[in-house]
Structures are given as C-alpha cells and as structure tokens.
Amino acid sequence: MKRTSTTSPWLWVAAAGVVAVLVIFACRPAPEGERRAVMTGGAVAAAETTYVPPGDLDKYYLFYSGGHSGQIYVAGIPSMRHISTIPVFSPYPATGYGFDDETREMLGGLAWGDVHHPTLSRTGAVYDGRWLFANDNAHSRIARISLRDFKTKQIIGPIPNLSGNHGSAFATSDTEMLLYASRFSVPIPIGTYAPIDDYATEFNGVVGAVNVDPETGEMSLGFQILTPPFNWDLGSTGRGPSKDWALWTCYNSERATGELEKTASANDRDYAIAVNWRAAAQAVADGKATQVGGVDVLDPKDVPGIAYLIPVAKSPHGVDFTPDGTRFVTSGKLEAITTVYSFDKMLAAIQAEDFSGEEDGLKVLDYDSVMEREVQIGLGPLHTQYDDQGMAYTSLFIDSAIAKWNPETGEVLDTVPVAYNIGHLMVPGGDSAKPWGQYVIALNKLSHGRHLNVGPSQPESSQLIDITGEKMRLLYDAFTEPEPHYAQAIPADMLHPIEVYSKEENHDPWAIWDVTEAGVTRSGNRVDVKMAAVRSSFWPNRIEVKKGDEVAIHITNIEQTTDELHGLGISDYNINLVVDPGETKHVTFTAKNSGVFAYYCTNFCSALHQEMQGYLLVE
Ligand code: RUQ
Ligand code: CUA
C-alpha cells in the first residue's frame, strides 16, 4: 500500500538542524562546576555507599549486554566490579565456550552476535531468578542462560522472516513467550528478492513470539504478525491489567529508503504498535495463520483485533509500561515530548472504534483518545524506568542527563547530569511489576575523559546513581565492557547458583568417575578417548592415533570440589576446553597434522598444575 509523501523542504531543514544539535551536544564535556555539583553529597559519602569491604559481597547482580561482543557481563552493585563474563553468541576461550562440540554447534558457525536487551524471566511480572534471555540483533537469534550455573543453554534462530532482532527479547508476565520485532523490513520469507523501489508495498516487518516451556525454559518458534515496512524499535510487555499486551515503537513510518536521517523524520508522528499476543496466539490455534518461511504468520487484514497502531511523538526509541501496567510511556528523540498513555483509554478507544487512520489493515487509534498527558522533561528523551515509589526515570541523550518525574502528574522532580550521552538506564526491577529502586545505572554512550586515555578506542562507561533520596546522587563511574546497551539487575539473595555439577546429575554416557575407566578405543578410523581430569593429571596422558583419524575426546572433571576447574589445551590444534567440577565435555576433530602435540591443563588447579600434561601422538 503506497502513501503519498508529506515531506516538505522545511521539514528536512528542521530535521537537519536537530541532527546538528545532536552532533554538537554529543561532544560536550561537563564543565568542572557540573562535575562538582553531582558530588554535592560528598565524595566520602559516595565512596562509603559503593564500598564493599573485603569479605563482603554486593547487594545485586547486574547483567549488562555486551553489544557486538556477543556476550553478557556480570557485575555487582554497588561495587560495579565486573565479576564474570557469560559468553552467549561469541566464542570465549576463557571458559572454552565455542570450542567443545555442544557449544560449537549452538553457535552454528557464527562468530559473533549483537546483544542489546537481556531480559530476566518473571512470574506474575516479578523476576523469578530462573533464566536470563538475550537477543541477537545481527542474526535474529534469542539465547537462554540458566541462572543456576550462569551458562548459555540454548540459542534459537536465525528466526525466519525476521531481519534485525532489535526490539527483543521481552518476556511476558509469566515468561510464556519472548516477544520480538523486526528492526529492518525485507521481502519475506528471507531470500525473496524485490527491488528497493517496491519497499512500501513488497517489504514487510514482523512482530512475533517465541514460546518458552514453563518447566525447562526450552524455546520454540511461536508466531508472527505481518506489519507495514516500518522500523520497529524497543518494546515493553504489559503486566497486571495489560498482561496480554505488548507494545513497540517504530521509526520510519514514512516507509523511506536511503538517507533515513532526513527522510524518516518527515512525518509529525510515528507509531507504536499494540499487540494482544494472547489473542494472536488464539488466532493461530484457531487456524487463522499462514505458514511463511516455516512460521505461522497472521495478517492483520484477515485477523482484526490482534494489533493496533498508536501515534507517538516523532522518532521515538521505545516504550515502557509502568510497574502496575496501567500506563505506558513513549518519548520522541527529535521532539522533547514524552507521552503518558492510559491502558484503559486504549481499550476504550478500541471498543469505541475511535480510529484516525489505517496502515495495511492496522487501525490507527486516535492519539487524543489514548494519551493521558504530554510531559517535557528534557532534550533527547529515550528510555524510561521506574522505582519502588512509582516515580519514572528517563534518559536524556542530548541533555546528557537523567530526569526523575512523576508519571501521574507529569511533574519533573529532579535532573542529574551524566557523562556522557546516556542511552539506556536501568533500575533493578525497573521494567517489572516489582522495582527494587535504590539505584539507577546510566549506560552511557560516550565517556571521553572519564577514564585513563587508552587511545582512540575510549573505554565505555556506566554510572551508578543513588535514588533513595529526593534528589539523585551520582556515586560511581565504572568501566563497562563494550558495547553497553540495556541491563537487568536482581537482588543477590534471589539467585542460588550451584558450585559443582553433582555426580548424580551427570547423565553423559561418556562420563567416567574413576581414572581406571579412562582409555582409548578405536573402531575403523574413529578413535574415542574417555578422559578423566583430576588434580594433577590427565588420564590417559597419551593418545596415539593415525593421521586422518577422527578423534573424539570425552573429558570428565571428576572433582567435586568448588573452584577446581581443569582445562584441556591442545597445542597447534586450536582445541581449548574448560571443564567445571563434575562436568563432561566433548570435542571431535580430525587428526590432520602428523607429529607430536602436547596437551596441558589451562586452569591453575594445584601446586602441580604445571605438571598436568600429556601428548597427542599422530603417526
Ligand atoms: S537500544 S540506547 Cu539497542 Cu536498546 Cu536504546
Ligand atoms: Cu588441572 Cu591445572
């Protein structure tokens, strides 16, 4: 469906002006006075608040996305110390991730992903500490990490028909589904060709759902809803009264191609899409979907009532439900307007068929009927989080600040400068029905001058801010592994990770628990090695094979002692396994180079760690 363009030259000039402002402000260092002002609470008081004395532990786990590093980083709050790296979409030699058969297969031959939005599993819209999910913007995948052992257990995708899995992964109230939306529109199924001139009519976006098994967390393909070729951005899942709904905002409702910086800002308003995912799932169950690219796809033209469009301020960057699920908030990046919408009003407008337009079968709800108030909180408003008192915190990219405001009155209560150009912000539980409040973390896009100079690739930075008082108080600047996007945090006492894999739960058929069971068996040119690792030797400590053999090493760390890891590095064969206590791992490879190759333990495990070695002899 083609629409006539409303672009006028002066709008382009206006858009270019805003872009210029963005560029100028993006590089503004904080004046000394400002820097001092944020420390008015006193450096000593701030230090005391963040100091975790030796022997003490942090209060929260912080999980922040590593962007195109493909990883999730774990830190403690309030110390902000980086304590662990969870490899998700990229190999990580430190834990052997991506080197053993199982994780190599899970990565599917891809060497990176682009993690933006980790989401903690929830029950009744409250974090339950079972799983952490994360999206891959680059290859349209979603991963599940178990918080029992902080390891990636499953990667689903590339999800069919989905290009740019950015508006993802968002868990529904009881983690029945993970919802996603396409950032890019393409002709679907992926692999279909259409000329770019047909963008408005032949390209499509999708919003969709991955199902999550309530017991095991296993993800499976759910359904998709066809949308016009808008660029979907961040979303939010409802809770309480709105728990069957989810929303995403879009940019480029103009359906422009090329030079989006100008052309995609022509319209006065963009849209949010409100999706009744429960009604959509029911429509699929009722047989109303068509299979496209191997997924059930619903066309809103044929299935009314599953999705609606809502006008939002120009060039928005996401939507955020309030903890009670009665309101949702969007902000326009190019207009200093944050809009508070009423979920009840949205339902009433749907009931009354209060529509102001239509786009490819999607009815557009009348803006004035759905919104509750417009608030001006600062320049470049992006994302909003909530505390335990019902107050909202919005990141202001252009102002380089966080504003605290009351969503019920629209009153701005406080603003704190950040360094610099904040993207996301995160309050523990701030996207759930139960925010813990206490802190907000500013995930900043630029940090210049806040850390020691390490050359052109400057350190990334996050800032910890105390929100327990009326005024926000900057506490701490923390280095953040690149590329920080969104984060999640959960009280430390809600997680109880295991320390060893118990022998009883290891059902691997190749596992051995006594060094006497170790050995090499051959059948044809296949060689299987049952290997045990225990302080401070490998059993066997020599493996004799012939050039061209297919070799499979099945290694069990037979220790049941905390922190007693062993690694298996094989020189010149690019093999690097790390085996936790009680764990069995497998690596299969072709012995393609003849010679004698040492293998050794990579994790310092005992006084005789250095002696923990062996030889792979390839004849
Ligand atoms: S986006 S700076 Cu990738 Cu989450 Cu908003
Ligand atoms: Cu085992 Cu070092």
Side-chain angles (χ1 to χ4, degrees), residues 533-538 564-567 601-606 608-610 612:
V534 60
R535 276 165 286 171
S536 298
S537 40
F538 292 109
E564 277 305 331
L565 279 64
H566 299 287
C601 176
T602 51
N603 284 55
F604 205 104
C605 50
S606 72
L608 295 175
H609 151 80
Q610 199 73 357
M612 192 165 171

